[in-house]
Amino acid sequence: MVMEKTTSKTSSLQALLLRAWRERWTDVQWGINIKTVLPRGVSGDVYNLADCILQQAVVGDGANQLVLSYLRHSLSAQLVSHAAVLQRLSKYSQFGKVHCITSLLEFLEGMLSGVTCFGKPEETVLATAVLSIALWLLNILHNCSEAAGLIQKASELLKILLTDDFYISMICLAKYNDPELFQETSAKCTEVLSRLPEADEVTKYVAKLEHIDIHMLCLPVNSEKWPGSLVQCWLEVNLMKKPDMDASSLADQLQIFQRLKGFSDSRLFAELLRGSLLCFYNTNESPHDSRWEAITFLKVPHIIQELAAKSDSASVVNAIELILQHGPLLDLLDAKCSYSSLKYLLEELVKLRLISEPQAGHLLEIRKQSTSLKLDNGDRSKPRVVVCAETTFSGIINSLSTTEYHKVQEGMLGMFQQMLIAKNFQLILAAACSLGQLKTLVKRLIRFNECFNFLSQDKARIEQFDISFVMLVSIVQNFGVEVLDTDDESLIYEWVNECLVDRHMQKSPTQLLQISDPVIVEALIKQFNSCEGDFKPNLKHKNVLFNMPGVMHEVLVAWEQGALHPSDVKRILDAVRGKMCCLAIAGATYLCSYMRTVPQENLLKPKNMVQQLLQVPPIIPNPTAEEASLRDRWELTSEIIRKIERDIQLPTTKSSSNLMSRSPATECLHSTWNSAITNGWLDYDSARILHCLLDTAGPKWLVNAVIHELLKLRFREQLQRAVDLALAIFHVDIVACTTELLSHILPQLLFVDVQSFRLVEPQLSFLACLTSYCIYTAWDSVANERDDEPPMKMLRFENVEEPVTPAKKLIRSLLQLFSTFEKMEGGITPQTYFVYNLIKSLVEVKIQSANAILAYISPSLISGLLKTLPDLFSFPLLLHLHDVCTTTGRVNMAKDLCVLRNYQLKKCLRSY
């Protein structure tokens, strides 16, 4: 019955059309009479009205202009849709009728300025129709090559389609909505290009159509002045916490920054090089000098190698040329180190084949011409100790790779003794971190240490166990227990987890005493008290180390009760120190843990015992190798014990490790922030303060304080620097800080009246930019934990009892924030502008994970913003905002594109 009804109406329309032509109705008369046939509120598309009119218009050799006027009026009165007319035009294939084609092209030219859709379900159909009309124009170019007028008109119309953002968006949408049609169009483009002369202007538009995609409508890139602050601040914050991060992980994070900021390869390399040089300079005369020296000259070239895998040496050379603009920084480094820092950096880049030797020589010549600094040791080309440490480290790894240590015992002992001299151990660790080989070194040291686990009368074996144990404890203290293999069953792994005390692994003294054996404790006290030379042969080092807490407890209790005199305690502790350094560490660990739990008045005696264990042997003129090694070992042991004291925060310890200052946390952050904003970079002490503030006050306080400082600034240049600095600061724990920003700080700023007054420009847009940066970097950090489920399915963990991972917390906070935005009341407010700027920032940063983030934005939120702030939206923004790979994304995109198109058409009409 429906078919009959449709056929009947179509026949009536055809009859009406013939009558109108015979009686020569005007378009107004046509409009009046067509309403007698079409039901009220029904589109003529249902009855193929556009098809009927066009068929009648092109019956003869030329198009009937009167009939075409009926079609033009039907379009104006919305009796037919633009999509239907375009579809019908694209089906006309009688290219031999030149006059008909000319009239149809003129008709198309007249309607292109107003093509749109008025909230009806044919938005996606309109996209397909636009692509169809582009294919029709290509067919005209292909089949009407002898008609110069047709070729010119078709070329002009094709140019209109491929220079108008609305039509480009529609064609991109149709590419994904109708892949077969696009393949046909692309093939026709190839065919047309083969026949068109290269000089013809239309060729570039045909070539554009052949490979059209959403990336052709680029969003504006915010260009930043060189140099920026982000990379240097991030290096200082990130590598202070994890200096052993491998080059590939750092390269991955830097690529995220590159996409966030729109940096070219050369700009990214230059930011990395400048940042590392600044960090190295700022650690002048500090214990971490060698660490940053190794990062600058060893790790950074390897990071660039990871980043430049698909690049060429030109980008690296351009980056060095940018660095040469900062001559004063290079001069300061050269004066500090008494050698050419650029020279040794270039040598490492040449080793990795990132640049050639002639390129390095040319860059050095530019450097010589731009500086008047004369180095004292320049003529002798002083070798870099950290570069030499790389070779030494490789030799150590090779030596430790053997399993037959007893055959090379003397050589191994000499190697360990050399490692402890002066700063050699720091340099070796710095090289290991820079080369990403720290865990390899730890594994080899543990295996070596395990070979000497049994107590022996051989002093060399005891010394080798002691040195390797002290080294391993020092590594764990400086780099965290993560450097140890969790599946390890070694002595050092067991001792670290059960006995070692630091701020992350607090242990009660009772817990340490529970692992002691009273029989062994009594035997050890007897031996230390009598100053006997050797342990019993049936003991293991494990038996002694795990019972040292019991020994220290018994000695301390006896001293407090008067059973031992101070001289007796000194004799016992000297005996402990005289055996092995590891015993002093094990004893000090218990004493520090004990002092953490006792009242202030009871601290004096255990404190004195720790100080006794800290005494370094006096300097001996012309010491033997064994005596020199013992003194070096004791210096490292003293550092370990002092760090234990600092980590447990003893009230009587004058330390500035964790609680950096007696000033309030707000004042500490304020001074650190102002210094960084003024200078444009972070120094080592500032980075240490930031880590301390996170540990002390938590991520919520830190984020709130940083945002508060950012909103105080007024100038755009300062605010840009503040965004970089804030993002770097949040990398003390980017996931936790971003979660707090989304779930607490932003809702308070936006919806609490007491705070919302601070949301003004330009601070508002920069805060939105920072939020988008944080979302993307945090999202990338939890990539391995995400389920990557669709947004609606991600809500399932709300009602399921399961551990809430950092990834789920982040996703939940993101969903809650967007849900809150969606519930905002209509109207133009600062909150509305913030939401728009946030979405715009999320779209502009088109990184790999962008679609996954944008999927959490509700289509109703986008539509509401589009209706409220239409002047701020653009077709490229909407094209990148929706996911064209999904049906829902294409439908929503088509609807929003047409809404914006209608607004712009109405605006143009009002301007007339």
Side-chain angles (χ1 to χ4, degrees):
M1 293 179 65
V2 175
M3 290 298 296
E4 292 177 0
K5 179 182 177 182
T6 302
T7 304
S8 175
K9 284 291 182 182
T10 303
S11 300
S12 299
L13 289 172
Q14 290 173 343
L16 184 68
L17 186 60
L18 287 172
R19 180 186 171 193
W21 174 72
R22 284 196 305 267
E23 297 179 5
R24 300 296 189 266
W25 287 353
T26 64
D27 53 0
V28 176
Q29 289 176 305
W30 163 261
I32 294 171
N33 286 281
I34 190 67
K35 294 178 182 178
T36 63
V37 179
L38 283 179
R40 186 175 183 179
V42 176
S43 171
D45 293 350
V46 178
Y47 307 109
N48 298 320
L49 177 59
D51 190 51
C52 293
I53 298 176
L54 277 172
Q55 282 184 16
Q56 185 65 37
V58 293
V59 170
D61 292 334
N64 190 316
Q65 295 299 323
L66 180 61
V67 176
L68 284 179
S69 70
Y70 300 157
L71 181 60
R72 193 174 293 111
H73 183 278
S74 299
L75 269 175
S76 301
Q78 299 183 25
L79 296 176
V80 293
S81 67
H82 290 89
V85 175
L86 292 176
Q87 287 280 26
R88 184 60 189 87
L89 282 173
S90 67
K91 291 177 182 178
Y92 188 77
S93 59
Q94 298 182 39
F95 299 106
K97 294 184 175 182
V98 176
H99 296 294
C100 282
I101 294 291
T102 301
S103 297
L104 293 179
L105 286 175
E106 289 174 351
F107 182 85
L108 176 62
E109 183 181 21
M111 68 178 289
L112 278 183
S113 60
V115 170
T116 185
C117 181
F118 298 96
K120 296 177 181 178
E122 59 264 7
E123 290 103 342
T124 53
V125 179
L126 178 61
T128 305
V130 172
L131 181 58
S132 298
I133 211 68
L135 177 58
W136 184 61
L137 293 173
L138 290 173
N139 283 320
I140 293 174
L141 293 175
H142 183 262
N143 295 296
C144 304
S145 56
E146 295 181 359
L150 286 181
I151 295 297
Q152 181 180 358
K153 180 62 68 175
S155 299
E156 290 174 357
L157 295 178
L158 193 63
K159 178 180 178 181
I160 291 174
L161 290 179
L162 293 167
T163 53
D164 187 286
D165 286 351
F166 172 70
Y167 289 120
I168 294 175
S169 301
M170 282 295 177
I171 293 173
C172 290
L173 180 58
K175 175 182 179 179
Y176 292 90
N177 201 50
D178 194 342
E180 293 182 2
L181 177 61
F182 180 77
Q183 288 177 3
E184 183 184 353
T185 306
S186 182
K188 182 58 67 174
C189 287
T190 305
E191 193 175 350
V192 171
L193 285 171
S194 66
R195 301 183 62 177
L196 286 174
E198 294 183 3
D200 198 329
E201 183 186 6
V202 76
T203 55
K204 68 178 181 180
Y205 300 111
V206 176
K208 182 178 181 179
L209 178 59
E210 182 181 14
H211 303 290
I212 198 166
D213 206 351
I214 57 176
H215 67 271
M216 289 188 177
L217 275 185
C218 299
L219 293 164
V221 177
N222 297 325
S223 58
E224 294 185 15
K225 295 181 180 179
W226 156 261
S229 303
L230 174 60
V231 175
Q232 188 278 331
C233 296
W234 171 78
L235 282 172
E236 193 72 82
V237 169
N238 205 39
L239 289 182
M240 178 194 168
K241 184 179 181 182
K242 296 180 179 178
D244 57 326
M245 283 185 69
D246 59 279
S248 60
S249 299
L250 293 168
D252 290 342
Q253 182 64 65
L254 285 167
Q255 285 178 328
I256 296 292
F257 292 156
Q258 183 179 17
R259 296 186 184 100
L260 291 176
K261 309 295 284 186
F263 289 161
S264 63
D265 286 343
S266 56
R267 173 68 185 274
L268 179 66
F269 301 157
E271 291 284 358
L272 176 59
L273 289 167
R274 176 182 172 273
S276 62
L277 290 170
L278 267 173
C279 293
F280 175 36
Y281 177 73
N282 287 329
T283 56
N284 189 18
E285 304 300 330
S286 76
H288 302 278
D289 198 1
S290 58
R291 179 185 296 179
W292 271 107
E293 196 172 14
I295 289 171
T296 303
F297 294 102
L298 297 181
K299 186 184 282 288
V300 166
H302 282 88
I303 297 173
I304 294 177
Q305 186 182 36
E306 293 281 343
L307 292 168
K310 297 180 181 179
S311 184
D312 54 11
S313 61
S315 297
V316 182
V317 173
N318 292 337
I320 300 296
E321 290 175 347
L322 285 173
I323 292 298
L324 289 173
Q325 297 176 9
H326 292 264
L329 172 61
L330 295 174
D331 290 342
L332 288 171
L333 277 171
D334 293 350
K336 166 189 173 181
C337 306
S338 299
Y339 62 82
S340 173
S341 54
L342 181 65
K343 175 184 176 182
Y344 288 102
L345 188 57
L346 292 176
E347 286 178 358
E348 291 301 307
L349 294 174
V350 171
K351 284 182 187 177
L352 297 176
R353 299 183 179 180
L354 293 169
I355 59 174
S356 63
E357 290 188 5
Q359 288 172 327
H362 174 68
L363 292 168
L364 283 173
E365 284 297 321
I366 298 176
R367 168 66 180 149
K368 288 179 182 178
Q369 295 171 7
S370 63
T371 181
S372 58
L373 183 67
K374 302 297 181 181
L375 302 178
D376 295 337
N377 298 328
D379 297 335
R380 290 184 287 165
S381 298
K382 180 182 176 181
R384 288 294 311 112
V385 289
V386 73
V387 176
C388 296
E390 179 184 7
T391 306
T392 304
F393 173 75
S394 300
I396 291 170
I397 290 294
N398 291 334
S399 299
L400 288 171
S401 62
T402 181
T403 56
E404 299 178 345
Y405 298 119
H406 62 280
K407 293 183 180 180
V408 289
Q409 184 171 321
E410 184 175 345
M412 296 293 291
L413 181 59
M415 180 187 74
F416 278 117
Q417 289 173 345
Q418 287 295 319
M419 286 175 65
L420 287 174
I421 294 176
K423 292 186 176 181
N424 286 359
F425 187 55
Q426 291 181 10
L427 289 170
I428 296 300
L429 293 182
C433 290
S434 298
L435 299 172
Q437 295 288 316
L438 182 62
K439 288 192 174 182
T440 302
L441 175 63
V442 170
K443 287 180 180 178
R444 302 284 171 85
L445 282 174
I446 289 175
R447 188 173 66 181
F448 179 84
N449 182 263
E450 286 293 296
C451 291
F452 301 99
N453 194 9
F454 285 92
L455 286 166
S456 170
Q457 307 300 323
D458 186 351
K459 291 184 178 180
R461 291 178 63 87
I462 294 175
E463 186 175 353
Q464 289 180 82
F465 172 87
D466 199 33
I467 293 175
S468 57
F469 185 91
V470 172
M471 286 181 174
L472 286 166
V473 174
S474 178
I475 292 172
V476 170
Q477 273 194 332
N478 285 284
F479 301 100
V481 73
E482 295 82 11
V483 298
L484 301 178
D485 191 345
T486 54
D487 297 329
D488 198 358
E489 297 180 356
S490 63
L491 166 63
I492 185 68
Y493 181 79
E494 189 177 354
W495 185 84
V496 164
N497 281 280
E498 294 190 19
C499 299
L500 183 61
V501 176
D502 64 20
R503 56 180 172 156
H504 299 297
M505 296 187 295
Q506 300 287 0
K507 298 176 179 68
S508 67
T510 305
Q511 178 184 349
L512 296 176
L513 292 176
Q514 287 175 350
I515 59 177
S516 299
D517 185 342
V519 177
I520 299 178
V521 169
E522 185 177 353
L524 290 175
I525 291 176
K526 182 178 179 181
Q527 183 171 352
F528 291 139
N529 193 35
S530 61
C531 298
E532 293 180 11
D534 300 318
F535 292 103
K536 294 181 180 180
N538 61 337
L539 284 177
K540 291 183 178 181
H541 288 295
K542 176 180 179 179
N543 300 130
V544 181
L545 288 171
F546 280 82
N547 284 282
M548 285 307 298
V551 173
M552 293 297 104
H553 174 72
E554 293 296 330
V555 173
L556 178 60
V557 171
W559 189 15
E560 289 177 338
Q561 294 180 354
L564 287 177
H565 293 288
S567 57
D568 299 325
V569 176
K570 183 178 183 303
R571 183 180 68 252
I572 294 173
L573 295 179
D574 286 343
V576 171
R577 292 175 57 255
K579 301 294 182 184
M580 290 182 289
C581 294
C582 61
L583 301 185
I585 293 173
T589 297
Y590 168 77
L591 291 171
C592 291
S593 178
Y594 173 80
M595 286 188 285
R596 186 170 175 269
T597 61
V598 297
Q600 180 80 20
E601 58 271 14
N602 295 339
L603 286 175
L604 183 58
K605 286 184 171 59
K607 181 66 177 176
N608 286 334
M609 291 176 67
V610 172
Q611 293 303 316
Q612 179 68 24
L613 292 174
L614 275 170
Q615 288 185 9
V616 179
I619 298 177
I620 303 174
N622 302 319
T624 63
E626 182 180 350
E627 291 170 338
S629 173
L630 179 62
R631 180 172 180 82
D632 293 332
R633 207 183 326 154
W634 267 110
E635 289 180 355
L636 185 56
T637 301
S638 299
E639 290 180 11
I640 293 171
I641 295 175
R642 290 192 183 98
K643 191 172 189 307
I644 294 173
E645 282 189 295
R646 293 194 298 267
D647 281 350
I648 63 170
Q649 290 297 305
L650 295 180
T652 57
T653 303
K654 295 180 180 179
S655 167
S656 59
S657 173
N658 296 325
L659 294 176
M660 301 296 302
S661 171
R662 294 181 181 274
S663 302
T666 305
E667 292 183 11
C668 290
L669 178 67
H670 180 72
S671 62
T672 300
W673 175 270
N674 284 345
S675 174
I677 291 296
T678 302
N679 297 328
W681 40 263
L682 272 176
D683 57 24
Y684 177 81
D685 290 336
S686 297
R688 196 154 54 107
I689 288 173
L690 294 172
H691 280 279
C692 159
L693 291 175
L694 177 72
D695 291 340
T696 306
K700 183 177 180 180
W701 178 90
L702 180 63
V703 174
N704 185 54
V706 168
I707 297 300
H708 180 74
E709 293 291 341
L710 183 146
L711 294 177
K712 289 180 181 178
L713 302 175
R714 292 290 178 268
F715 301 104
R716 288 187 173 273
E717 186 175 350
Q718 285 184 330
L719 284 164
Q720 182 60 64
R721 184 176 291 177
V723 168
D724 291 346
L725 176 59
L727 181 60
I729 289 174
F730 293 162
H731 271 80
V732 293
D733 191 339
I734 185 62
V735 178
C737 288
T738 303
T739 302
E740 293 295 340
L741 175 65
L742 300 177
S743 59
H744 294 103
I745 309 305
L746 284 178
Q748 289 178 3
L749 275 174
L750 292 169
F751 305 115
V752 177
D753 293 338
V754 178
Q755 298 193 41
S756 60
F757 73 92
R758 292 189 287 173
L759 288 176
V760 294
E761 285 290 356
Q763 292 88 337
L764 182 146
S765 56
F766 281 98
L767 178 60
C769 180
L770 172 62
T771 304
S772 68
Y773 288 174
C774 290
I775 289 172
Y776 280 126
T777 50
W779 184 263
D780 183 70
S781 298
V782 297
N784 296 329
E785 303 175 23
R786 298 197 312 261
D787 294 330
D788 285 336
E789 293 282 354
M792 295 306 297
K793 291 186 178 181
M794 287 309 302
L795 292 173
R796 58 185 169 81
F797 60 76
E798 294 284 355
N799 301 319
V800 179
E801 292 184 2
E802 60 181 51
V804 181
T805 63
K808 289 182 178 179
K809 289 181 180 179
L810 177 65
I811 295 170
R812 180 166 55 188
S813 61
L814 188 61
L815 281 169
Q816 289 175 342
L817 183 67
F818 284 132
S819 177
T820 305
F821 290 159
E822 193 175 353
K823 295 175 184 176
M824 288 193 310
E825 297 180 358
I828 300 176
T829 63
Q831 290 79 1
T832 312
Y833 278 101
F834 176 83
V835 177
Y836 165 78
N837 279 286
L838 174 58
I839 293 177
K840 178 172 176 285
S841 297
L842 288 171
V843 175
E844 287 177 344
V845 182
K846 194 64 178 176
I847 64 175
Q848 188 174 1
S849 57
N851 285 338
I853 297 293
L854 296 176
Y856 293 107
I857 303 176
S858 168
S860 60
L861 174 60
I862 299 171
S863 298
L865 285 172
L866 179 58
K867 294 172 183 176
T868 305
L869 303 170
D871 288 314
L872 299 181
F873 278 86
S874 65
F875 293 112
L877 178 61
L878 293 174
L879 186 64
H880 290 80
L881 180 54
H882 295 282
D883 186 2
V884 293
C885 296
T886 65
T887 303
T888 304
R890 292 193 293 270
V891 170
N892 290 324
M893 181 191 296
K895 181 183 67 175
D896 289 342
L897 288 172
C898 290
V899 169
L900 182 59
R901 172 72 165 179
N902 294 335
Y903 171 77
Q904 291 182 348
L905 291 175
K906 290 179 181 178
K907 189 176 179 181
C908 289
L909 288 174
R910 287 196 298 267
S911 64
Y912 288 119

